[in-house]
Amino acid sequence: MQERAARTRQAVLEAAADEFAERGYEGASLQRMVWRAATSIGALTFHFGNKTALAEEVSAAGHARFESCLEDLAAAPDPLRELRTLIGALARLAHEDTFVRATRRLEADRPGEVPPLTEVWLPVLRGLLDRAHHAQRLRPGVSPGDAVALLAHLAEGAMAAHGATRDSAWDAVWDSVWNVVLHGLAADRTEQADQADQADQAGQTGQTGQTGRAGRMDAPDATEPTTLTDSTTLTECGAEPA
């Protein structure tokens, strides 16, 4: 009996996610939800009470899926590469996961009543840009704050395009857009070498008798490429395989 009740509850939750994603909060119908779930209004109200409570459950599930996916993203030595993977994962989730699409729609329909998904992914994006800044991977003059604003808008745009067909043409456009953004954000190899030399000189001046290379521990290898033109295969959450 408990197993049957759990299946019914999950079926209603999935049907509600479909309905909210397609029609929003106001347009969603409990009758259509129970029809999708092949159950009754009595079963829906028994498990969730009302439409508001059901929306809250769908939103909570969307947040949980977002958090789980971001936790599974593979770390990369280059924070700019990891940023690309992050934004690709966000776009993939917004396109493929009904609960994430429903949560985004509920955010738009009920501002202030549904916790925004930015609370999940924006701190991750900000942390990666801080890493890039400390590793001297950002072009001189680019502040992490400005880069956060730019990439947050890029991420929102990528997620908003979830209705578009995800095919090879979409992926090619995404690669081109990212390379343009990267060109504006990333320090080129000559600049990185100059920055590393300046760090060496500062270390030698401030620490007599020491090698001075301690000042560039976090500096990337000047030979490291700054463009990502390879066709990387992503996992379900957008993470690059090991």
Side-chain angles (χ1 to χ4, degrees):
M1 183 67 71
Q2 290 180 346
E3 183 178 346
R4 180 180 176 183
R7 286 200 303 268
T8 299
R9 187 182 190 282
Q10 184 62 27
V12 171
L13 195 61
E14 291 174 358
D18 286 333
E19 186 74 6
F20 287 133
E22 292 173 9
R23 301 174 184 271
Y25 183 79
E26 295 298 333
S29 163
L30 297 183
Q31 287 289 352
R32 279 193 296 268
M33 291 179 194
V34 298
W35 178 81
R36 288 173 184 261
T39 187
S40 66
I41 285 288
L44 184 151
T45 55
F46 172 78
H47 286 289
F48 298 101
N50 54 42
K51 186 176 178 180
T52 299
L54 192 49
E56 291 172 352
E57 287 281 349
V58 168
S59 177
H63 277 76
R65 290 177 180 226
F66 229 88
E67 291 169 356
S68 176
C69 185
L70 295 187
E71 288 172 359
D72 289 343
L73 288 180
D78 181 359
L80 294 181
R81 179 178 290 274
E82 198 168 341
L83 278 165
R84 182 190 189 282
T85 302
L86 169 66
I87 297 176
L90 298 180
R92 182 184 297 274
L93 278 174
H95 174 71
E96 296 179 352
D97 194 295
T98 303
F99 282 90
V100 172
R101 293 202 310 273
T103 301
R104 286 177 53 79
R105 184 67 184 269
L106 289 169
E107 276 183 36
D109 290 354
R110 308 176 72 213
E113 298 183 41
V114 175
L117 282 169
T118 52
E119 293 181 355
V120 178
W121 62 264
L122 191 56
V124 179
L125 185 148
R126 186 176 289 114
L128 288 173
L129 280 167
D130 284 342
R131 273 182 53 201
H133 175 67
H134 292 308
Q136 299 180 339
R137 289 288 283 126
L138 297 183
R139 185 179 296 277
V142 174
S143 73
D146 290 341
V148 166
L150 171 66
L151 292 182
H153 281 87
L154 179 63
E156 287 288 357
M159 288 187 283
H162 66 75
T165 302
R166 289 293 302 271
D167 54 17
S168 58
W170 193 100
D171 291 335
V173 169
W174 163 241
D175 287 340
S176 297
V177 168
W178 177 252
N179 284 334
V180 169
V181 171
L182 189 65
H183 179 74
L185 287 180
D188 63 29
R189 284 173 289 184
T190 302
E191 289 169 340
Q192 287 179 344
D194 290 343
Q195 290 171 358
D197 288 342
Q198 290 171 7
D200 278 348
Q201 293 169 6
Q204 290 167 355
T205 301
Q207 298 182 20
T208 304
Q210 295 187 13
T211 177
R213 288 187 60 86
R216 60 180 291 189
M217 284 179 60
D218 294 329
D221 188 339
T223 62
E224 184 179 358
T226 60
T227 56
L228 300 174
T229 56
D230 54 308
S231 55
T232 305
T233 301
L234 303 180
T235 66
E236 181 178 353
C237 284
E240 297 177 15

